[in-house]
Amino acid sequence: MVAPTGAKAPRWERRKDARPQELLAAALDLFVERGFAATRLEDVARRAGVSKGTLYLYYANKEELFKAVVRDSIVTAIGDAEDVVAGYEGESGELLRAILFGWWERVGGTKASGIVKLVMAEANNFPDLAAFYRKEVIVRGTRVLSSVLERGVARKEFRVADIETSTQVLIAPMLMLTLWKHSCGPCDQGDVDAERFLSNFAAMVLGGIQAD
Amino acid sequence: MVAPTGAKAPRWERRKDARPQELLAAALDLFVERGFAATRLEDVARRAGVSKGTLYLYYANKEELFKAVVRDSIVTAIGDAEDVVAGYEGESGELLRAILFGWWERVGGTKASGIVKLVMAEANNFPDLAAFYRKEVIVRGTRVLSSVLERGVARKEFRVADIETSTQVLIAPMLMLTLWKHSCGPCDQGDVDAERFLSNFAAMVLGGIQAD
Amino acid sequence: MVAPTGAKAPRWERRKDARPQELLAAALDLFVERGFAATRLEDVARRAGVSKGTLYLYYANKEELFKAVVRDSIVTAIGDAEDVVAGYEGESGELLRAILFGWWERVGGTKASGIVKLVMAEANNFPDLAAFYRKEVIVRGTRVLSSVLERGVARKEFRVADIETSTQVLIAPMLMLTLWKHSCGPCDQGDVDAERFLSNFAAMVLGGIQAD
Amino acid sequence: MVAPTGAKAPRWERRKDARPQELLAAALDLFVERGFAATRLEDVARRAGVSKGTLYLYYANKEELFKAVVRDSIVTAIGDAEDVVAGYEGESGELLRAILFGWWERVGGTKASGIVKLVMAEANNFPDLAAFYRKEVIVRGTRVLSSVLERGVARKEFRVADIETSTQVLIAPMLMLTLWKHSCGPCDQGDVDAERFLSNFAAMVLGGIQAD
DNA sequence: GATGAATGAGGTTTCATTCAT
DNA sequence: GATGAATGAAACCTCATTCAT
């Protein structure tokens, strides 16, 4: 017999704590695979190994589940990026590279990037989701990048004419890279070497904006 | 401009002949606006000014309607491109420019480009549509471009190492341009100047492959 | 062969026109029998001899169906009463009797009175329905009665101190009578002779308010 | 006031004993507010400050909980009335007044009267509840009143032709008074002065049946 | 050809009830 | 005793498709 106090976490309790993550993982898989409207909650539940009703213990409805997936997979990453920027002490070029590569590691290069494609495809049909996404992802994501540029300018490490435009220039190819990854089921194009693309891209951008 | 079907068709008969076109136009609008699954046939019918039942007189089901839209808006354009290539007498660089600009005029720059995005977003959920699209659009479209390159090589106007890869290199930015146009509802980026992009693109490509 | 023009209404067309009435009748039956929440639309449809989906061709949802039932069974009666009052030429005491008996004939004495009970029981749970009912039934119904009293006063046939209070005094026993009819399933009281009750009631009231 | 179960029960044990009462109070509140079907057991449990599972330790299911509420709020009052009648030594007119006022104090004038309305509204949908209510409330309640009348007749204090009918005559206005209290959310009538109504009613009835 | 009424499978959501801890 | 996570039947509502007229 083992000492019953404290050490032994009951199997079931562990599952309970893990439930939300299991559900989010299953939902991410299916949302990415089928889109928002075509994903059936029963399938999400089954893939997570629970019943339909259980899903509703954790998420009030389909939209809330989707928001939770977005938060878990993207918003969190943006939050971390914000923290990195806030706490960074070094050179701004390094910081920009770190942010771009971090994004690829956490979002662009993972299943989460499928969410980006999904939103593009279905946002028209679900205005509430579009509003949520715009506020939590587009606005916040844009702000992080802008803040890095501003930091560089303030420290005289960057030289950019217009922060807003420059931010868009940074975002566009990232988006492209993401779409590329997800749009080639029916296109049948070869894969892009994302790492090399990112490296080249960072180099080009920094070449263009670094102060000297 | 489309040549009239027959010179002596009475006016009301033209009306009847126009039915399919009106249906296709309505369907294109709605498919592009809402996607395949989210488009309701009743809405298509209403927009075309007919009843739901009438739609089924012309198209056996939703998928057939979609295929007809694709044929009408994209496959026809590809067919015309094939004809142009087959009948072309001039220099291959000119031909390539004509094909690229023709694509923009007929597809990329029109509502039809929304179909491209739609297929990327929903092909997973409708394997039959994906197969159709691959066969009628991807394969044939790729073949046209390849044939231009082959023609250039054969006439010693182009110098390309690998036809297949070069074709992909041609297609990729076209696709990007298309997606850009349709994916920025939620991205909120500014518009791209497509004409200039195309011109630059054509110049770059031709600069890279032209024999001298 | 019969002349095909005009005269021969096709069987099916007749059914179509009759559909709403059949649905309303079925819905009234079930709403009265089971209450609003406990009535399943599938049962309504089945009782009307159609499928679930058909019901939605005529009524957008459960609440709209209920409103239609109320309109068909009660609001219409109130409207007719309004017309009677507006067009009446005779003595006000006669008019008041006509209104009270008309109400019993059209509502109180019919299945429609079950709606009154239903609203009392469930209005708390369905605020939209309560608002609708208050506006279309309570307010309008009260107004008709008040208008009769006002008419009598204006023509010096009635003598009432306060129109509003007197209207309530008229309504209360009517409501009681209605509830009595519907509340005795579980109460097992004997039936009340409604006609006699109404006669006595009208006599008493008129005795109390008639000018001389 | 309720006599404590046992003199030496420790305080926390009293807490435990109080559980059922807390549950019954919460259930009464919600049943009266929303009706039987629309009341969610989770809400009952939460209002009583326990978990949903705990509720099932005390009551096997929703119907049993409802029966317990009826027993606690109405049947007990009837039982007490039975005891009063059985032990009464005085004049029967006094006894009848005591019974009627006792009913108002314990049931008609309290939340419990909402149960009466609820049963009228939903008994159709829950035959078991209807049977229970009929047996425990209608029959027993009727019997108490009948027994008072019989006592009066036996002691030559009352003079009634038909016990059964007279009992109904007694019950009817009591019921009306109850419904009045609960049915006027949507009716918007002013309140009735219940005490005065009861006094008058008792006087009228006694005037009618008292032997001299 | 044209209509539009009718269908019914399929999706989301709710909630009484159970049971491992 | 107490908990609350889990279940799954059932209800509302949608829409592609059919078919009598």
Side-chain angles (χ1 to χ4, degrees):
Chain A
M1 263 213 278
V2 183
T5 40
K8 194 186 75 175
R11 198 179 346 135
W12 187 53
E13 193 86 4
R14 304 228 353 213
R15 297 217 63 176
K16 173 203 144 196
D17 288 350
R19 267 295 130 72
Q21 275 307 317
E22 292 167 5
L23 286 166
L24 290 178
L28 176 58
D29 279 5
L30 287 168
F31 280 143
V32 167
E33 190 176 326
R34 305 188 190 167
F36 179 77
T39 292
R40 303 184 317 150
L41 291 191
E42 184 157 18
D43 290 342
V44 173
R46 183 163 29 243
R47 181 172 298 213
V50 301
S51 77
K52 216 176 356 174
T54 300
L55 207 160
Y56 282 86
L57 293 178
Y58 296 93
Y59 305 101
N61 52 45
K62 202 181 188 180
E63 297 217 344
E64 288 305 319
L65 173 62
F66 182 78
K67 290 181 187 174
V69 167
V70 172
R71 281 196 199 93
D72 186 57
S73 61
I74 304 186
V75 179
T76 302
I78 294 179
D80 290 351
E82 288 167 349
D83 293 346
V84 167
V85 172
Y88 203 75
E89 311 254 331
E91 197 265 330
S92 295
E94 271 314 298
L95 176 56
L96 186 55
R97 278 185 59 94
I99 295 297
L100 295 182
F101 276 86
W103 171 81
W104 182 253
E105 203 171 320
R106 296 278 296 273
V107 179
T110 72
K111 251 180 300 197
S113 60
I115 296 292
V116 176
K117 174 193 154 200
L118 180 164
V119 170
M120 287 180 176
E122 304 191 65
N124 277 338
N125 299 328
F126 301 93
D128 287 355
L129 290 188
F132 167 79
Y133 187 83
R134 184 184 298 262
K135 183 172 165 203
E136 296 295 324
V137 176
I138 314 261
V139 171
R140 274 181 75 182
T142 303
R143 199 148 47 205
V144 183
L145 281 178
S146 294
S147 72
V148 173
L149 294 183
E150 282 159 1
R151 179 186 192 273
V153 170
R155 293 168 52 123
K156 306 211 194 288
E157 290 160 342
F158 291 167
R159 195 172 307 176
V160 298
D162 171 14
I163 296 282
E164 191 181 346
T165 302
S166 302
T167 304
Q168 285 179 11
V169 169
L170 281 174
I171 290 173
M174 301 284 98
L175 266 180
M176 286 295 171
L177 192 54
T178 299
L179 290 179
W180 201 248
K181 245 193 78 195
H182 279 278
S183 301
C184 295
C187 309
D188 206 18
Q189 308 297 331
D191 276 349
V192 179
D193 183 337
E195 299 287 339
R196 208 166 50 165
F197 175 91
L198 264 186
S199 281
N200 288 343
F201 177 59
M204 283 172 55
V205 166
L206 290 175
I209 66 177
Q210 239 148 4
D212 52 295
Chain B
M1 247 194 289
V2 178
T5 312
K8 67 178 188 48
R11 208 173 324 137
W12 66 265
E13 186 120 355
R14 294 202 36 175
R15 183 82 223 289
K16 196 180 69 182
D17 289 352
R19 247 327 122 68
Q21 275 306 318
E22 289 163 3
L23 284 167
L24 291 177
L28 176 59
D29 280 4
L30 288 167
F31 281 142
V32 167
E33 191 176 326
R34 305 188 191 164
F36 179 77
T39 292
R40 304 182 332 159
L41 290 192
E42 182 158 17
D43 290 342
V44 173
R46 178 161 37 240
R47 183 175 293 214
V50 302
S51 76
K52 215 176 354 172
T54 301
L55 204 158
Y56 279 85
L57 295 177
Y58 293 94
Y59 306 101
N61 53 41
K62 202 182 189 182
E63 297 215 344
E64 288 306 319
L65 174 61
F66 182 77
K67 290 181 188 174
V69 167
V70 173
R71 283 196 197 92
D72 184 57
S73 60
I74 303 187
V75 179
T76 303
I78 294 178
D80 289 352
E82 288 166 349
D83 293 347
V84 167
V85 172
Y88 203 73
E89 311 256 331
E91 196 267 331
S92 296
E94 269 316 298
L95 176 56
L96 186 55
R97 277 185 60 95
I99 296 298
L100 294 182
F101 275 86
W103 170 81
W104 181 254
E105 204 171 321
R106 297 278 295 273
V107 179
T110 73
K111 251 181 298 196
S113 60
I115 296 293
V116 177
K117 174 193 156 199
L118 180 163
V119 170
M120 288 180 176
E122 302 191 67
N124 278 337
N125 301 326
F126 302 93
D128 287 356
L129 290 187
F132 166 80
Y133 186 83
R134 183 183 305 257
K135 182 173 165 201
E136 296 296 323
V137 177
I138 314 263
V139 171
R140 275 181 72 182
T142 303
R143 201 151 45 206
V144 184
L145 281 178
S146 293
S147 73
V148 174
L149 293 183
E150 282 159 0
R151 180 188 191 271
V153 169
R155 294 167 52 120
K156 306 216 192 303
E157 290 159 342
F158 292 166
R159 191 173 310 176
V160 298
D162 170 15
I163 295 285
E164 188 180 345
T165 302
S166 301
T167 305
Q168 284 180 13
V169 169
L170 280 174
I171 290 173
M174 302 283 99
L175 265 179
M176 287 293 174
L177 193 54
T178 299
L179 288 180
W180 201 247
K181 247 190 76 192
H182 281 278
S183 301
C184 294
C187 308
D188 208 14
Q189 308 298 331
D191 275 350
V192 179
D193 182 338
E195 299 288 341
R196 205 167 50 167
F197 175 90
L198 263 186
S199 282
N200 288 342
F201 177 59
M204 281 173 57
V205 165
L206 290 174
I209 67 178
Q210 238 147 5
D212 54 295
Chain C
M1 263 214 279
V2 184
T5 41
K8 193 187 74 177
R11 198 181 344 137
W12 186 55
E13 193 87 4
R14 307 230 350 210
R15 297 219 63 178
K16 175 203 142 192
D17 289 351
R19 267 296 131 71
Q21 275 308 317
E22 293 166 6
L23 286 167
L24 290 178
L28 176 59
D29 278 6
L30 287 168
F31 280 144
V32 167
E33 190 177 325
R34 305 189 190 165
F36 179 77
T39 293
R40 302 184 318 149
L41 291 193
E42 185 157 16
D43 289 344
V44 173
R46 183 164 28 244
R47 180 172 300 212
V50 302
S51 77
K52 213 177 359 171
T54 300
L55 205 158
Y56 283 88
L57 293 179
Y58 296 93
Y59 305 101
N61 52 44
K62 201 180 188 181
E63 297 217 343
E64 288 306 319
L65 173 62
F66 182 77
K67 290 181 187 174
V69 167
V70 173
R71 282 197 198 93
D72 184 57
S73 61
I74 303 187
V75 179
T76 303
I78 294 178
D80 290 350
E82 289 166 348
D83 293 346
V84 168
V85 172
Y88 204 74
E89 310 255 329
E91 195 268 329
S92 294
E94 270 315 297
L95 176 56
L96 186 55
R97 276 185 60 94
I99 295 298
L100 295 182
F101 275 85
W103 170 82
W104 182 253
E105 203 171 320
R106 296 277 296 272
V107 179
T110 72
K111 250 181 302 197
S113 60
I115 296 292
V116 176
K117 174 193 155 200
L118 180 163
V119 170
M120 288 180 175
E122 303 192 64
N124 277 337
N125 299 328
F126 301 93
D128 287 355
L129 290 187
F132 167 81
Y133 186 83
R134 184 184 299 262
K135 184 174 166 202
E136 295 296 322
V137 177
I138 315 260
V139 171
R140 275 181 74 181
T142 303
R143 201 150 45 205
V144 183
L145 281 178
S146 294
S147 72
V148 175
L149 294 183
E150 282 159 0
R151 180 186 191 272
V153 169
R155 294 167 52 119
K156 304 207 194 292
E157 290 160 342
F158 291 166
R159 193 171 306 176
V160 298
D162 171 15
I163 296 283
E164 189 180 345
T165 301
S166 302
T167 305
Q168 284 179 13
V169 169
L170 281 174
I171 290 173
M174 301 283 99
L175 265 180
M176 286 294 173
L177 194 54
T178 300
L179 290 179
W180 201 247
K181 244 192 81 196
H182 280 279
S183 302
C184 296
C187 309
D188 205 16
Q189 308 297 328
D191 274 350
V192 179
D193 181 337
E195 298 287 339
R196 206 166 51 166
F197 175 91
L198 264 185
S199 281
N200 289 343
F201 177 59
M204 283 172 55
V205 165
L206 290 175
I209 67 176
Q210 238 146 5
D212 53 297
Chain D
M1 253 198 284
V2 178
T5 312
K8 69 179 185 48
R11 210 175 320 137
W12 67 264
E13 187 121 352
R14 295 201 40 176
R15 183 81 223 290
K16 195 180 66 184
D17 289 351
R19 238 339 111 67
Q21 275 307 318
E22 289 163 4
L23 284 166
L24 291 177
L28 176 59
D29 280 4
L30 288 168
F31 280 143
V32 168
E33 191 176 327
R34 306 188 192 164
F36 178 76
T39 292
R40 305 181 329 156
L41 289 193
E42 182 157 17
D43 290 342
V44 173
R46 180 163 33 244
R47 183 175 294 215
V50 302
S51 76
K52 216 181 344 177
T54 301
L55 204 159
Y56 279 85
L57 293 176
Y58 293 95
Y59 305 101
N61 53 42
K62 202 182 187 180
E63 298 215 343
E64 287 306 319
L65 172 62
F66 182 78
K67 290 181 189 175
V69 167
V70 174
R71 282 196 197 94
D72 184 56
S73 60
I74 303 186
V75 179
T76 303
I78 294 179
D80 290 350
E82 289 167 348
D83 293 346
V84 167
V85 171
Y88 203 74
E89 311 253 329
E91 195 267 330
S92 293
E94 269 315 297
L95 175 57
L96 186 57
R97 278 187 58 94
I99 295 298
L100 294 183
F101 275 85
W103 170 81
W104 181 252
E105 202 171 321
R106 296 278 294 273
V107 179
T110 73
K111 250 180 300 196
S113 61
I115 295 293
V116 176
K117 174 193 156 200
L118 180 163
V119 170
M120 288 180 176
E122 303 191 65
N124 278 337
N125 301 326
F126 302 93
D128 287 355
L129 290 187
F132 167 81
Y133 186 83
R134 183 184 302 260
K135 183 172 164 202
E136 295 296 323
V137 177
I138 314 264
V139 171
R140 274 180 74 181
T142 303
R143 199 149 50 206
V144 183
L145 281 178
S146 293
S147 71
V148 173
L149 293 183
E150 282 159 0
R151 180 186 190 271
V153 169
R155 293 167 52 123
K156 309 214 185 312
E157 291 160 342
F158 292 166
R159 193 172 309 177
V160 298
D162 171 15
I163 294 284
E164 190 181 346
T165 302
S166 302
T167 304
Q168 283 180 14
V169 169
L170 280 175
I171 290 173
M174 301 284 99
L175 265 180
M176 286 293 173
L177 193 53
T178 299
L179 288 180
W180 201 248
K181 246 190 76 191
H182 280 279
S183 300
C184 295
C187 310
D188 208 17
Q189 308 296 332
D191 275 349
V192 179
D193 183 337
E195 299 286 341
R196 206 166 52 165
F197 175 92
L198 263 188
S199 282
N200 289 343
F201 177 60
M204 282 171 57
V205 166
L206 291 175
I209 67 177
Q210 237 148 4
D212 54 295

